[in-house]
Amino acid sequence: MAPTTHLALINVFIGDIQGGLGPFLGTWLAQMRQWSPSQIGLVTTLVGVGTLLLSGPFGALVDRLGRPRLLIVVSCAAILAGTLLLMPAHSFVPVLAAQFLAAAGGTLLLLAVTALTLGVVGKEAFPRQQGRNQAFNHIGILIAAGLITLGTAHFGPEIAFWVLGAMAAAAIAATLAMPARAFNPRRAAGWKEEDEAEPARSSYFQIFSNKRLLVLAVALALFQLGNGGMLSLLAQKLVHTADDPTAWTARYVMVAQLVMVPVALAAGSLADRRGRRQLLIAACIALPVRAALSAFIDDPYWLITAEILDGVASGIIGVAVPVVVADLTWGSGRTQTALGTVNAVQGAGGALSAWYGGLAQGWFGWSGSFLALGAAGVLALALVWWLAATTEESHSQRRRTRRDERRRATHSAEKPA
């Protein structure tokens, strides 16, 4: 098989395993261990904070080691081990340790797959391949969700463990089957492949003082502040406005994932033709529109349109962010370090989103809470629109450049021969 086929298989199998049991963890702990919402929330919060702190160092590890296939295998093994260790766990500490192991594996896995992709296809083909990666990733999520939904009736909630374990094992097999020669570490870092000596890596200060990277990180944190908790808040609203809110929430998740597949493919293609900045602007526009729909519509059928926009925005972000970070750090030898740090910053925004939305709901009611989430998206849009968050020039910058070029041309023409 071609190396890109191996990448496709890897992304299908890792689609559902990056966060361990993820959304199924709370259901399983409440149903099988009779845990309270406060205990489940504490475990989820501690694991989330811990993995955010690991994201930057894991990126540095991927950059320094230069062996993403090995790290993918290690990550999947950690996810598999953590998930299996959850099954006999009853008390707080074993559950926390097992889920943290699985979630840490997922954090490392995302960065290792990005590095592997860059080292296989190179920088020029990376945007299109990243779109394919994300599309296959969402297909994997849909397959796993379908298997769990069908299997729960026959095997109980433990089916989630076995589906996740099988996908982790399949991801390991797909990674080991990829030929080692398909990955080139110099290609992954943006260094000339023919040079004998390894170029010096940029300092951490050079990376983290990059203005565009800082603007991007803050914009993404604001985007996730508005986006992260919106579906959860909508599910809570449905309890008061619709019949069978759980079923509607599940439908919304499926709709968003289905939309993300074609959006990711299109975003990978458009990243080169239309530009990265245009993609980020489109994602940031979709968020406040989705918030407005969620604020003023109560009919669950019409609210599907809001979750279509969720699929559009999230599908674009999943493709655009690694591509933009690679643009901003290309040749530095620190691309995954930067990506891990940016992921941590935007993850912090997502972690605060549910609290922020709940606080806004208490103050302003349901409509006001969604508009407050949408306001964070407007601020993210402002940062992307007016400040340099990509390597491309904005429209106003291009206009100034053309004006300066015309002035220089006129000045040169007026000079005496």
Side-chain angles (χ1 to χ4, degrees), residues 227-236 249 252-253 290 307 310:
N227 186 71
M230 196 174 294
L231 180 58
S232 175
L233 195 67
L234 182 60
Q236 295 172 57
T249 302
Y252 293 158
V253 172
R290 175 193 175 201
E307 296 316 301
D310 178 25

Side-chain angles (χ1 to χ4, degrees), residues 263-277:
V263 167
L265 290 171
S269 176
L270 292 172
D272 287 325
R273 287 189 291 159
R274 300 293 297 176
R276 285 74 151 137
R277 184 170 174 270

Side-chain angles (χ1 to χ4, degrees), residues 10-369:
I10 291 169
N11 278 278
V12 167
F13 295 133
I14 69 171
D16 193 57
I17 70 174
Q18 292 177 31
L21 283 179
F24 299 104
L25 176 65
T27 304
W28 183 78
L29 289 173
Q31 185 174 352
M32 304 302 294
R33 297 292 184 259
Q34 287 75 51
W35 278 34
S36 67
S38 61
Q39 289 176 298
I40 296 171
L42 181 57
V43 165
T44 303
T45 300
L46 290 175
V47 169
V49 171
T51 51
L52 287 180
L53 294 175
L54 286 175
S55 188
F58 276 170
L61 173 64
V62 174
D63 282 331
R64 177 60 64 179
L65 189 61
R67 300 183 64 185
R69 291 172 65 248
L70 171 63
L71 292 177
I72 290 172
V73 171
V74 170
S75 301
C76 292
I79 294 169
L80 181 57
T83 303
L84 294 178
L85 288 172
L86 270 173
M87 296 187 72
H90 287 75
S91 60
F92 183 85
V93 173
V95 169
L96 175 64
Q99 180 59 11
F100 182 78
L101 178 61
T107 301
L108 178 59
L109 178 62
L110 179 64
L111 299 165
V113 170
T114 304
L116 179 65
T117 304
L118 278 167
V120 169
V121 304
K123 179 67 169 57
E124 293 301 317
F126 180 56
R128 190 179 295 273
Q129 185 60 46
Q130 179 64 13
R132 295 192 188 103
N133 284 0
Q134 288 297 301
F136 283 113
N137 197 282
H138 297 307
I139 289 172
I141 293 173
L142 288 169
I143 292 172
L147 291 173
I148 292 172
T149 301
L150 294 173
T152 299
H154 300 284
F155 304 104
E158 288 86 357
I159 188 64
F161 290 90
W162 300 113
V163 170
L164 188 145
M167 295 188 79
I172 292 173
T175 304
L176 293 175
M178 174 181 279
R181 65 181 181 278
F183 172 78
N184 188 305
R186 290 176 178 270
R187 191 185 303 146
W191 296 335
K192 293 182 179 179
E193 298 176 27
E194 63 272 13
D195 288 351
E196 293 184 8
E198 182 176 293
R201 297 178 188 272
S202 298
S203 68
Y204 289 115
F205 177 79
Q206 288 176 300
I207 294 298
F208 297 126
S209 61
N210 185 320
K211 177 186 174 182
R212 287 170 171 168
L213 195 63
L214 295 174
V215 170
L216 176 67
V218 174
L220 290 172
L222 288 168
F223 176 88
Q224 295 299 345
L225 180 65
N227 186 71
M230 196 174 294
L231 180 58
S232 175
L233 195 67
L234 182 60
Q236 295 172 57
K237 176 184 174 180
L238 289 173
V239 173
H240 303 281
T241 61
D243 296 327
D244 202 359
T246 301
W248 277 110
T249 302
R251 293 182 190 118
Y252 293 158
V253 172
M254 296 290 285
V255 166
Q257 292 294 330
L258 284 169
V259 171
M260 288 179 201
V261 175
V263 167
L265 290 171
S269 176
L270 292 172
D272 287 325
R273 287 189 291 159
R274 300 293 297 176
R276 285 74 151 137
R277 184 170 174 270
Q278 299 299 323
L279 290 178
L280 291 174
I281 288 173
C284 291
I285 289 175
L287 177 56
V289 174
R290 175 193 175 201
L293 292 173
S294 300
F296 298 115
I297 295 176
D298 292 332
D299 189 329
Y301 286 98
W302 283 103
L303 283 170
I304 291 175
T305 57
E307 296 316 301
I308 290 174
L309 290 175
D310 178 25
V312 171
S314 298
I316 290 173
I317 290 294
V319 174
V321 172
V323 172
V324 173
V325 171
D327 288 342
L328 296 173
T329 60
W330 198 238
S332 68
R334 304 284 187 191
T335 296
Q336 303 311 315
T337 304
L339 180 59
T341 304
V342 169
N343 286 345
V345 174
Q346 70 169 328
L352 292 172
S353 182
W355 167 82
Y356 170 59
L359 190 65
Q361 197 281 329
W363 286 351
F364 308 117
W366 289 113
S367 295
S369 63

